[in-house]
């Protein structure tokens, strides 16, 4: 019985570590990989503009109609 409890606890810890690693490597990188100062070819500007309330940095959103990909351009303050 103790082997089952110990094995199940180890399995839960491994599952939690796997979820944390996936969240770090997939979720956080998804937003930050598509921004910069130079808009790639094929992207058109949308009317969507975000302003970070802490830093005041303005970000304009561009959209590629062929791929559906979005690009976030940081405007100069």
């Amino acid at each position: 019985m103790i082997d089952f409890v110990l094995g199940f606890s180890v399995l839960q810890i491994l599952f939690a570590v796997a979820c944390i690693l996936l969240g770090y490597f997939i979720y956080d990188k998804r937003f930050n990989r598509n921004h910069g100062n130079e808009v790639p070819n094929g992207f058109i500007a949308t009317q969507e503009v975000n302003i970070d309330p802490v830093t005041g940095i303005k970000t304009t959103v561009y959209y590629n109609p062929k791929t559906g990909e979005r690009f976030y351009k940081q405007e100069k303050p």
Side-chain angles (χ1 to χ4, degrees):
M1 180 70 177
I2 191 76
D3 290 338
F4 175 75
V5 172
L6 185 62
F8 188 70
S9 297
V10 170
L11 184 63
Q12 286 180 330
I13 292 170
L14 290 176
F15 181 74
V17 169
C19 289
I20 291 169
L21 290 175
L22 286 174
Y24 176 77
F25 287 111
I26 294 173
Y27 180 73
D28 290 340
K29 306 297 180 203
R30 187 177 57 176
F31 174 74
N32 292 327
R33 72 177 178 190
N34 290 334
H35 77 272
N37 294 325
E38 205 168 305
V39 179
N41 292 333
F43 284 80
I44 56 174
T46 65
Q47 295 182 352
E48 187 176 347
V49 176
N50 300 316
I51 299 175
D52 189 318
V54 176
T55 63
I57 294 175
K58 182 178 173 184
T59 304
T60 304
V61 180
Y62 291 81
Y63 175 72
N64 187 333
K66 291 181 182 175
T67 63
E69 190 176 1
R70 295 165 64 92
F71 180 81
Y72 303 91
K73 180 183 177 186
Q74 293 181 352
E75 304 293 338
K76 294 181 181 178

